[in-house]
Amino acid sequence: MLLDANDQVFVLSCTQAADFPVSLGAPQAAFGGGTHDGVLVKLNASLTSLVWSTFFGGSGADAVFGGEMFANGDLAFLVVRRALTSQFRPGAYQLLFQGGEADALRVRSTRPVPP
């Protein structure tokens, strides 16, 4: 979990629920497939309401762990995935699944999470 400057809480995890509550305009509004997808969730400081949430996953089993919040609103997090395909940007260190049980990657979202 992470706290932003307003003490709002970010939960980085995974779900098996295709009907997990996501925000209107979420970067990934639908479950990607596999046994589970990663989720990014932002809750208000009193933990009484959902501020923002999205799936993060592809066709395999995906989970989101640990992260870092930057002053400009960027969010970096670690993803572990078991997918043969990924949506990597050109210039990424490795563009393809490397085999084995799973791959891990660090993602930095330059699209600030809504306040």
Side-chain angles (χ1 to χ4, degrees), residues 42-109:
K42 184 177 183 179
L43 302 166
N44 69 351
S46 62
L47 304 176
T48 56
S49 67
L50 178 68
V51 175
W52 179 87
S53 66
T54 187
F55 285 108
F56 190 95
S59 60
D62 304 290
V64 177
F65 300 97
E68 180 180 1
M69 177 63 66
F70 295 88
N72 68 351
D74 286 4
L75 176 65
F77 50 93
L78 176 67
V79 178
V80 176
R81 64 183 337 171
R82 296 183 72 181
L84 297 178
T85 60
S86 297
Q87 306 87 7
F88 295 122
R89 296 175 65 153
Y93 181 69
Q94 293 177 328
L95 295 175
L96 301 173
F97 181 64
Q98 299 301 300
E101 287 295 315
D103 272 356
L105 59 134
R106 181 178 183 266
V107 175
R108 182 167 179 168
S109 170

Side-chain angles (χ1 to χ4, degrees), residues 4-30:
D4 71 6
N6 298 317
D7 290 332
Q8 295 183 97
V9 178
F10 285 86
V11 178
L12 311 170
S13 189
C14 63
T15 184
Q16 293 179 323
D19 61 349
F20 190 86
V22 295
S23 303
L24 184 63
Q28 183 178 334

